[in-house]
Amino acid sequence: MADTEKYEGVATGREEVAKLDASSKSTDSNELDIDLETWGEEHGYILDVEVLKEVSPNWQNYKLAPDGRTVLIPQPSSDVNDPLNWSHTKKHVILLVIAATAFLPDYGSATGAVTLLPQSAEWGLSPDTVNHSQVGNVFMLGVGGVFVVALAAYFGRLPVLFWFTFTAVWTAAGCAGAGTFNAFMAFRILNGFFSTVAQGGGVMFVKDLFFLHERARKINIWASFVILSPYFGPLFTAFIISTQKWQIAFAVYTIMTALCLVLQIAFAEETFFNRKIPEVDRPRKTPGIGGRVARLIGTEQWKSRHQRSTFAQACLRPFRVLIKPTVALSTIYYLLTFAWVVGINTTLSIFLTSPPYEFGPRQIGFYYFTPVVAALLGEIIGHWLHDAIARVLTRRSKEKKLEPEYRLTAIAFSTPFMVVGLVVLGFALERSWHYMIAALGWGMYVFGIMITTVAITAYCLDSYPEGSGEVAAWINCARTTGGFVVSYFQVKWANKMGTEATFGIQAAVVAASYLIVVFLQIYGKRLRERSGPLRFKTD
């Protein structure tokens, strides 16, 4: 049972409920005296109905999961348009469409990394010069996500998803058909900005569609597409350019982007649902094909824009999230951890094409099955790991409530895989060990990254559910910024010091950055309490 002294000696916690401002009261039903999501953000999430009984005298009015014990957070309304009330199939189809779209940006970016040599030969430029387009593309992958969530807060989720993907299609086609390097670079940079829409803003949809106790597993699905994409790009492209022109690789990428656009038109929906206003004030969805088209292009959402953030408020939201200490520290940690993914990708092909390995394009393509398998293993294990950790720590806690910091415990499991993996990979390449040993090290690192990505994203989302898009956008920005910076010096660094030293230093950085996670586990809740909630106008 919960320790009721937490609520200042009041068994039902009614004094604490009274302290919550109007934004934390349910507008959907007067029978619910607590907005459990707002309450949980400040006091810990109540997922067990037995704990809810100690907090609310109206506990029997709250809806539970089919197991009869798990409290649903947030509480679904009685409105059929509430995404939480949609069918299991509809929710997961939308999730898969978002995940597939999130697969595109890093896939396209990695495709360009592999086509550098044939492009430099065709245009008579050095590979370093052609690489400028790659650097610009990677930079825009991070910046674009911040713009996505700001625009979505004002215009709506679906129209931003549609128009960004629509623009990504023709910029990808521009890359495939570019006749000069300058034209290619312009299309490449623009494509990076627009293609990142579901990668930078994907967690918004996860938060809209699923209850709190489901989110870690759904983030795990979305994140697996993100982590897999930079490896499928080189895998497919290596096979393509071994027999075809480099333009074919970008034509394939264009077709993939267009397919995602078609899937959005067919299956995606506007998932934003405002629970902070009375049901009678919520806009009604226009039925039929006309209504669907209106939501897709944004004209229907435009009519209800006064109920969402103003344009100025929407633009400030990402920065209001970033100044929260726990988000800033999480972003720094992820930058220091994920940056070496790019380091490996930019270095590995150089060493594998040199003696004693002397791999050709096809062998390199096959070699990229290593991180694919590792990421899939991380997704499979993470499907149960993250929720299992949360359940165990919640049950063992004094108050039986889920604290966001519990999500970080999974990183204690993943960090040894990342550190050892980098060390093994560095030694294998430096000392010309068998390529399977190098593959083992690479796979261990990718497996650890997969677990870490879900843990840090779930932590930030549970800490600030109102800013679901914003926290994910900054994590995405950290990931791409790390890659952007490392791409400038990784190859020269490895050639000068050798992979044994460079990857050893990278492993040391990953190990040292884990201290940030420990700090958040100890002081994260106090930092969140002192900095206060976001209190946005809408989620």
Side-chain angles (χ1 to χ4, degrees):
M1 301 293 285
D3 181 8
T4 54
E5 292 181 2
K6 173 70 176 178
Y7 309 105
E8 300 178 355
V10 182
T12 62
R14 279 172 281 188
E15 289 185 10
E16 285 291 338
V17 174
K19 291 179 183 178
L20 297 175
D21 62 60
S23 67
S24 66
K25 297 299 179 72
S26 171
T27 58
D28 196 67
S29 172
N30 292 327
E31 295 177 341
L32 304 184
D33 49 7
I34 311 173
D35 181 331
L36 291 173
E37 190 164 55
T38 302
W39 171 280
E41 186 179 343
E42 299 185 40
H43 304 291
Y45 293 100
I46 301 172
L47 290 172
D48 192 326
V49 68
E50 296 301 322
V51 180
L52 182 62
K53 291 177 183 179
E54 299 292 335
V55 178
S56 172
N58 300 320
W59 64 269
Q60 68 275 9
N61 296 324
Y62 290 83
K63 297 177 182 178
L64 307 178
D67 63 7
R69 185 178 181 87
T70 303
V71 182
L72 297 179
I73 302 177
Q75 286 283 289
S77 68
S78 57
D79 194 332
V80 295
N81 293 318
D82 186 344
L84 294 175
N85 291 328
W86 293 348
S87 69
H88 178 274
T89 300
K90 183 175 182 177
K91 288 182 179 183
H92 285 83
V93 167
I94 295 174
L95 173 62
L96 290 175
V97 171
I98 298 301
T101 308
F103 181 87
L104 297 172
D106 277 5
Y107 176 93
S109 182
T111 295
V114 177
T115 60
L116 285 177
L117 293 179
Q119 286 173 328
S120 63
E122 179 174 327
W123 288 321
L125 300 170
S126 68
D128 187 59
T129 300
V130 178
N131 192 49
H132 291 170
S133 66
Q134 174 75 6
V135 173
N137 175 270
V138 171
F139 177 76
M140 284 299 183
L141 294 182
V143 173
V146 178
F147 279 84
V148 164
V149 296
L151 293 173
Y154 183 68
F155 293 104
R157 321 277 207 231
L158 185 59
V160 171
L161 176 69
F162 171 76
W163 288 114
F164 267 62
T165 308
F166 175 81
T167 310
V169 172
W170 66 261
T171 52
C175 292
T180 65
F181 170 68
N182 288 336
F184 175 79
M185 183 165 67
F187 281 119
R188 189 102 166 93
I189 292 172
L190 285 171
N191 183 259
F193 180 84
F194 289 102
S195 66
T196 194
V197 58
Q199 192 176 84
V203 176
M204 292 186 297
F205 293 90
V206 173
K207 195 266 181 183
D208 292 343
L209 290 166
F210 298 99
F211 298 104
L212 184 138
H213 70 279
E214 299 174 313
R215 289 176 191 162
R217 281 173 289 164
K218 310 312 172 185
I219 291 173
N220 194 48
I221 295 172
W222 167 81
S224 66
F225 281 75
V226 175
I227 300 300
L228 283 168
S229 57
Y231 303 118
F232 270 108
L235 191 156
F236 289 154
T237 305
F239 290 120
I240 291 171
I241 65 172
S242 67
T243 59
Q244 305 293 326
K245 294 181 179 180
W246 64 265
Q247 287 90 343
I248 300 300
F250 280 97
V252 171
Y253 171 58
T254 303
I255 293 169
M256 293 170 62
T257 308
L259 178 60
C260 286
L261 182 65
V262 171
L263 291 173
Q264 290 172 19
I265 294 171
F267 301 111
E269 261 293 358
E270 176 59 66
T271 60
F272 173 76
F273 185 83
N274 195 346
R275 293 182 177 81
K276 295 183 178 181
I277 59 176
E279 185 174 357
V280 294
D281 294 334
R282 291 177 190 145
R284 297 290 94 187
K285 285 187 176 181
T286 305
I289 296 177
R292 179 160 186 79
V293 172
R295 289 188 295 277
L296 198 66
I297 65 176
T299 54
E300 184 167 306
Q301 292 90 329
W302 179 256
K303 296 175 183 177
S304 60
R305 65 189 182 280
H306 62 281
Q307 295 180 340
R308 297 187 297 274
S309 302
T310 66
F311 188 75
Q313 289 172 335
C315 292
L316 288 174
R317 282 174 59 123
F319 302 99
R320 288 180 60 188
V321 169
L322 186 61
I323 62 175
K324 296 297 183 182
T326 55
V327 176
L329 289 171
S330 298
T331 301
I332 293 170
Y333 166 75
Y334 197 57
L335 185 151
L336 295 173
T337 304
F338 197 94
W340 316 120
V341 168
V342 177
I344 294 172
N345 278 351
T346 55
T347 305
L348 200 60
S349 61
I350 295 174
F351 286 91
L352 290 178
T353 54
S354 303
Y357 304 113
E358 297 183 333
F359 280 12
R362 289 188 179 183
Q363 287 83 0
I364 291 177
F366 282 118
Y367 206 70
Y368 269 89
F369 277 108
T370 297
V372 169
V373 173
L376 289 174
L377 286 174
E379 197 281 334
I380 293 169
I381 292 175
H383 186 79
W384 291 280
L385 176 68
H386 299 283
D387 283 346
I389 290 173
R391 283 195 301 270
V392 169
L393 293 180
T394 299
R395 290 170 184 168
R396 291 176 57 185
S397 67
K398 188 176 182 181
E399 297 165 11
K400 311 298 182 187
K401 294 182 296 185
L402 172 65
E403 297 288 354
E405 284 69 28
Y406 296 166
R407 300 291 191 187
L408 298 173
T409 305
I411 301 178
F413 171 78
S414 62
T415 298
F417 285 95
M418 294 187 290
V419 173
V420 174
L422 286 169
V423 171
V424 169
L425 180 58
F427 271 74
L429 295 177
E430 179 83 7
R431 303 189 180 193
S432 300
W433 291 350
H434 195 279
Y435 64 84
M436 291 303 293
I437 299 178
L440 175 64
W442 191 14
M444 290 176 68
Y445 174 69
V446 173
F447 174 84
I449 278 290
M450 181 67 214
I451 300 293
T452 299
T453 298
V454 177
I456 202 71
T457 304
Y459 168 64
C460 289
L461 177 58
D462 287 354
S463 296
Y464 297 103
E466 287 179 273
S468 58
E470 288 77 10
V471 297
W474 285 120
I475 291 172
N476 177 66
C477 191
R479 184 179 59 81
T480 57
T481 300
F484 171 74
V485 172
V486 169
S487 64
Y488 273 103
F489 62 81
Q490 174 64 30
V491 175
K492 293 181 180 179
W493 186 24
N495 286 331
K496 183 178 180 180
M497 295 185 63
T499 57
E500 190 174 312
T502 55
F503 284 110
I505 292 172
Q506 292 169 15
V509 171
V510 172
S513 65
Y514 179 67
L515 295 176
I516 297 175
V517 176
V518 175
F519 179 84
L520 287 173
Q521 288 177 301
I522 298 172
Y523 299 106
K525 184 174 182 178
R526 275 176 269 184
L527 289 173
R528 289 188 290 110
E529 289 172 345
R530 290 181 182 180
S531 62
L534 292 169
R535 302 204 186 283
F536 287 151
K537 183 178 179 180
T538 59
D539 287 356

